[in-house]
Amino acid sequence: MSAPMPFWRAAGMTYITYSNICANLVRNCLKEPHKAEALNREKVHFAISTWKDGKAEKPVIRSDLAED
């Protein structure tokens, strides 16, 4: 007897993909000013460093919005 499979797995998605889709739907249903606050929290900040001769060069700080 096999255990039931979550529908997101049956659809070929990862849980992270499913979770992101759900979060976007919830954010789009919010009214202002809550929608603007939620979209502002969606921003992602990260640093990218290239490596040369076994040492990291100066990191580049990025601030991007997640793409739908």
Side-chain angles (χ1 to χ4, degrees), residues 3-46:
M5 182 183 297
F7 67 89
W8 51 266
R9 176 77 65 197
M13 286 189 241
T14 64
Y15 182 75
I16 297 297
T17 303
Y18 165 72
S19 177
N20 284 337
I21 291 170
C22 292
N24 284 333
L25 289 171
V26 170
R27 282 190 290 269
N28 288 332
C29 292
L30 294 173
K31 293 181 179 179
E32 293 297 339
H34 306 292
K35 185 175 185 175
E37 292 172 6
L39 290 173
N40 192 34
R41 284 192 304 266
E42 187 182 23
K43 291 181 182 174
V44 177
H45 304 282
F46 56 95

